[in-house]
Amino acid sequence: MKGMLAMAQQHYIKYLRDVKDQSISQIAEQLGVSWRTAKKYADCSDWNKAEPPLRGKFPIMEAYRVQVDTWLMEDQARPKKQRHTAKRIYDRLVTEFGFAGSDRTVRYYVAKRKSELQIEKSEPYIRLEHPGGEAQADFGTFQAIIGGQLVERKMLILSYPYSNAAFVFVTPKENTECFLEGLRQLFEMSGGVPNRIWFDNLSAAVVSVGTDGNRKLTDEFQRFALHYRFQPVFCNPAQGNEKGHVENKVGYARRNWCVPLPVANDLEQLQKIMNQQALEDLRRPHYAKEVLQQDLWEQEKIKLLELPIIPYEAFRLESVKANGYGEVLIDQKTVKIPSIRSHERVWVKYWWDKVDVLNDSYEVLITLPRGYMDESVPVDLQTLLQPLYSKPKALDYSSVLAFLPSQTKGFLQSVEGKSRKTRIGWIIRMLKTYQIEEIERCLTQEDQDDVSRLEHVLYRLRHPEIIPAPMKDSRTPSVFVGYQPDLTRYDQLQRTEVRK
């Protein structure tokens, strides 16, 4: 028998012991329970109801409440799939703050705080198994900070269910050029090509799906698949669970590799960060096979197809006619191209990250970045700062600092307590009218102690006082220029009239 016995059984054991004077061994044999269980109830002398363990107080968490609450509050402004899990919070506390408590304590506290903050829990993922040498591919969206700007990027993940290995390519979009370039680079990261790859019915590969389930693929994708010799397999519409492993891996990558938000100087550095995360992840045990994923990956790699000697060049070529001003339409924007005549026809070669404009001899006239390479997401500083107004101490642990200019950051961090709360409230209020750049300029020029004066300075920066230039008078004789008349005679006449 497992678990606690029913109250009637406990009573009967006590009866056999005290009234029938049976031994512990006799009771255990008669009732079919273990000797230890029979002993527990037969000789029990305290039958008071045990109090349930306290779960509302977390003394060991006192020193870390501010950090954890800050992360959870900031998560409310983040995409649902890129929020902290309890495990991720525990890992960060151990790594960044030397937390000595247990994983269970953090889980209890986080569950309590999430309930209070009404944060929805992420949905479970479905696991699927496949033979070695086969892979699944899918896109996921995540946010990062690149060059101080909040950006939204795509991660194309190629996952291998047998070993649980995965590789990531970071790209701005999900178009054909990004998709095929991403697969090419993922094959090179893997050191080979999977025999079969499962995909969604994404538009970069599938033109249409017939009623019979047959798919019409894009010419570009078919050439790519032939070049690398893999067999593409497509999920049935609305049946993403058929490639559940990669969907699980996309969620795992967002929760563990993108929390907190990755910070990089450029896209190249962000790619290196993700590569490092993927390699480090191979060092953990497989979730089901109790073997290091690295060892399983070494076994699986030998089943991959060899990379072709010549890599595939993923680009789109279009013939475009310039307008009367020598301008060409590129990525829905009109661009002036030097060295071409009005109405001349040129070639536009679209790569995933750049555009080449070519003449009739296929000579490159100019190379431009794709229009979406520098796209950023507007940062709502008011929303990010609002939770910090009631918890000003949490500012030191908040990711909002990454979005604040240096003077503004110093303005808030140079004081504590009520003074910091006052300054946070002032910034929130000013952001309703002014841009953060204007606030930064104001803080650069003026003393920061008097916020009421700062507000006046902000107004003057936006509405400077107009002082008219001196009027040039070319008609007044020079002898009268600057002449000051003597008005004392008029004063005497006035006194004389008054006496009358």
Side-chain angles (χ1 to χ4, degrees), residues 185-332:
Q185 293 203 29
L186 290 169
F187 294 159
E188 293 180 0
M189 295 177 199
S190 303
V193 182
N195 298 274
R196 294 203 293 175
I197 307 177
W198 271 256
F199 298 96
D200 268 335
N201 297 286
L202 66 173
S203 60
V206 179
V207 176
S208 62
V209 181
T211 55
D212 56 356
N214 291 327
R215 289 162 180 79
K216 181 180 179 181
L217 306 181
T218 65
D219 292 341
E220 193 72 18
F221 180 75
Q222 290 185 79
R223 283 196 296 271
F224 182 86
L226 289 171
H227 188 89
Y228 285 98
R229 298 175 295 133
F230 68 85
Q231 178 187 352
V233 182
F234 293 93
C235 299
N236 291 315
Q239 295 296 320
N241 61 298
E242 295 178 355
K243 57 175 185 55
H245 185 270
V246 71
E247 294 194 351
N248 188 19
K249 188 63 74 173
V250 169
Y252 175 85
R254 270 193 294 241
R255 294 190 301 273
N256 292 274
W257 305 348
C258 302
V259 177
L261 299 185
V263 180
N265 295 325
D266 50 36
L267 190 62
E268 182 180 358
Q269 186 182 20
L270 180 60
Q271 180 65 59
K272 290 180 180 179
I273 292 172
M274 301 301 285
N275 288 348
Q276 185 63 31
Q277 295 275 21
L279 290 176
E280 290 180 359
D281 191 63
L282 286 174
R283 300 191 182 103
R284 66 186 178 97
H286 190 278
Y287 60 87
K289 300 177 181 178
E290 299 183 354
V291 181
L292 284 180
Q293 294 176 164
Q294 179 67 55
D295 296 338
L296 293 172
W297 173 239
E298 293 299 325
Q299 299 172 17
E300 186 169 22
K301 277 203 310 185
I302 62 177
K303 299 181 180 181
L304 301 180
L305 303 173
E306 289 187 3
L307 289 165
I309 298 175
I310 302 174
Y312 189 88
E313 293 187 336
F315 62 83
R316 172 167 50 94
L317 193 63
E318 291 183 356
S319 177
V320 180
K321 187 178 181 181
N323 62 19
Y325 302 97
E327 299 170 335
V328 174
L329 188 65
I330 299 176
D331 276 339
Q332 307 304 314

Side-chain angles (χ1 to χ4, degrees), residues 44-113:
C44 179
S45 59
D46 184 2
W47 291 86
N48 286 302
K49 186 176 181 180
E51 294 183 359
L54 293 176
R55 293 189 178 183
K57 297 182 179 180
F58 309 90
I60 198 171
M61 291 294 296
E62 284 298 328
Y64 307 96
R65 284 178 182 270
V66 173
Q67 290 93 326
V68 176
D69 286 358
T70 300
W71 295 337
L72 293 177
M73 287 188 297
E74 290 182 343
D75 277 352
Q76 295 180 82
R78 304 287 181 224
K80 287 184 180 180
K81 296 180 180 179
Q82 207 172 335
R83 295 175 179 173
H84 285 80
T85 60
K87 182 180 183 304
R88 182 56 178 154
I89 288 177
Y90 172 75
D91 291 341
R92 288 192 67 186
L93 288 177
V94 172
T95 303
E96 300 176 23
F97 300 96
F99 179 68
S102 68
D103 174 85
R104 178 175 296 181
T105 300
V106 175
R107 289 183 182 276
Y108 284 155
Y109 179 77
V110 170
K112 177 175 178 292
R113 291 297 291 136

Side-chain angles (χ1 to χ4, degrees), residues 471-481:
M471 184 178 65
K472 294 182 179 180
D473 184 5
S474 59
R475 298 187 179 185
T476 302
S478 58
V479 68
F480 293 112
V481 174

Side-chain angles (χ1 to χ4, degrees), residues 427-442:
I427 293 288
I428 293 172
R429 187 160 54 87
M430 291 303 99
L431 285 171
K432 296 178 181 179
T433 306
Y434 302 96
Q435 300 297 318
I436 189 63
E437 292 79 12
E438 295 176 291
I439 297 174
E440 174 76 357
R441 183 183 169 197
C442 166

